[in-house]
Amino acid sequence: MQTPTQSAASPWRVRDFRVLFSATALSQLGTNVSYVAVPLVAVTALDASPGQVGALATLSTLAFLFIGLPAGVWVDRMRHRRILIGADLARAVLFCSVPVARQLDALTLGHLYAVVLLNGCATVFFDVGSQSALPQLVGPAALVRANSAVVSLQAVGNIAGRGAGGGLVQLLTAPVAVVCASGAYLASALQLCALGRGDDTPRPPHTVRLGAQIAEGVRHVLGNRELRALALTAALTNFGSQIVTTMLPILFVRELQLTAGALGLFWGAGGLGLLLGAWGARRLAARLGHGRALGLAGLVLAPSGLLVPLIDRGPWLWIAGTAWVLVLFKTGVDNVLGVSLRQRMTPDALLGRMNATFRFLLTGALAVGAAVSGLIGELAGVRATLWVGGALLAVNFLPVFLSPVRSRRELPQQQTSVTFSRTVPK
């Protein structure tokens, strides 16, 4: 992969960043279309219960708990280009199997469970690999701008992808929407073939045991007060938002008798908030300071999560939708500034394991949140589930707000070295 000079102020000057960005755009389209389409396949075609929808969402993120930490070691050892292409091809094949099974009248919940679980495994490698490659592609000077571009892309994906997913389900049925997701992943893999083959990432010695290398990454994150606070805030955000979003298909389609298109628009509105937060993050950091922007955004915006459970037909749909936009605006700010901070606080040789540790914690929170959502939905109903999720979203800012992150004005100089654990025989 190409490595820019540290003086490069714009990531767009780096060809490999442009390639990675365009491939990520296609991958995000596939992810967001499938995010809407797969649970709606379960609800409309297989008459899934709240517990089964919760299980589907749980399995979609469970891979991060099983292989998330080892994946960080493997990413630090392997070429990022191969990892990214292989992950996209795997996801394309998996989602293509859903409409094929539907056409053969062989689609079952078990099939969907297997697809989302294996898709999660591929997503582990794609997410960790892309976040680990980014700092090496653009250099420290352009890192915040690059992260802002990627988070903005994710937000646009939420708007366009989830809106398109809802529309495709409404117009062409959910299995056809899943076909479109498969095609987007295939196009992303083809685009990544243009990524440079050179990769100068320092590789840890293979004589170090897997467990020792995993432990280094975990200690790096949990042993640092700032990184630990960022991880806890992001985990609470994911936990609360997953509890809410897991129940939204049932709330919209069954209880409120709204269309799949309306569900896609609601999720798309949240994507707009994420986009605006990503766009505004750099300006907020310049005006308030990097850490203070993170702390104040949470203090002001997080309590709006308590309005999301009020969602209903009529004006309350708009009130809850506005609250959802504010929640996601705060998430957009967190994603740009928090990810930039943790990347700058991590040596290149630990980037894969640092990102994997964060992904393990954050996506683990998604898995647990989906399971908790399904359980509460079965025992206490959809509305009670939404209130639990909204309350968690309202307090998610506290770990960062009460940590040294709040007083940090500038990003630190990136660490350039790391001491590996002692070598042991294979």
Side-chain angles (χ1 to χ4, degrees), residues 269-296:
L272 177 62
L274 191 68
L275 176 62
L276 294 175
W279 280 353
R282 195 159 54 97
R283 295 176 180 87
L284 287 173
R287 180 178 294 271
L288 301 174
H290 201 92
R292 194 177 179 195
L294 281 167
L296 289 180

Side-chain angles (χ1 to χ4, degrees), residues 161-186:
R162 295 185 185 180
L168 286 170
V169 170
Q170 189 170 335
L171 293 174
L172 302 174
T173 74
V176 174
V178 175
V179 172
C180 296
S182 175
Y185 285 127
L186 178 60

Side-chain angles (χ1 to χ4, degrees), residues 230 289-299 333-334 337-338 341 400 405:
L230 291 171
H290 201 92
R292 194 177 179 195
L294 281 167
L296 289 180
L299 178 65
V333 174
D334 287 356
L337 301 185
L341 177 57
V400 161
V405 172

Side-chain angles (χ1 to χ4, degrees), residues 196-365:
R197 293 176 179 273
D199 188 354
D200 298 325
T201 307
R203 305 296 176 190
H206 283 209
T207 52
V208 179
R209 285 179 179 161
L210 183 68
Q213 290 184 268
I214 291 174
E216 282 179 331
V218 173
R219 284 196 302 268
H220 175 69
V221 173
L222 299 184
N224 182 293
R225 289 184 64 191
E226 292 178 272
L227 293 178
R228 185 168 64 244
L230 291 171
L232 288 173
T233 282
L236 281 173
T237 299
N238 282 7
F239 188 45
S241 62
Q242 186 76 338
I243 288 175
V244 171
T245 57
T246 299
M247 288 296 106
L248 286 182
I250 295 173
L251 178 68
F252 268 75
V253 176
R254 288 188 183 166
E255 296 197 3
L256 300 181
Q257 297 294 304
L258 295 171
T259 64
L263 175 60
L265 288 174
F266 186 88
W267 271 327
L272 177 62
L274 191 68
L275 176 62
L276 294 175
W279 280 353
R282 195 159 54 97
R283 295 176 180 87
L284 287 173
R287 180 178 294 271
L288 301 174
H290 201 92
R292 194 177 179 195
L294 281 167
L296 289 180
L299 178 65
V300 173
L301 299 174
S304 60
L306 292 173
L307 295 175
V308 175
L310 299 174
I311 187 171
D312 207 334
R313 282 180 168 272
W316 286 110
L317 180 61
W318 294 96
I319 293 171
T322 301
W324 190 241
V325 170
L326 295 176
V327 167
L328 270 293
F329 181 96
K330 183 255 183 190
T331 303
V333 174
D334 287 356
N335 286 354
V336 172
L337 301 185
V339 170
S340 299
L341 177 57
R342 77 196 203 204
Q343 287 171 334
R344 287 287 289 271
M345 295 182 72
T346 302
D348 284 349
L350 268 174
L351 279 170
R353 281 166 285 170
M354 178 276 292
N355 286 318
T357 301
F358 266 86
R359 283 292 179 179
F360 174 82
L361 295 172
L362 273 52
T363 314

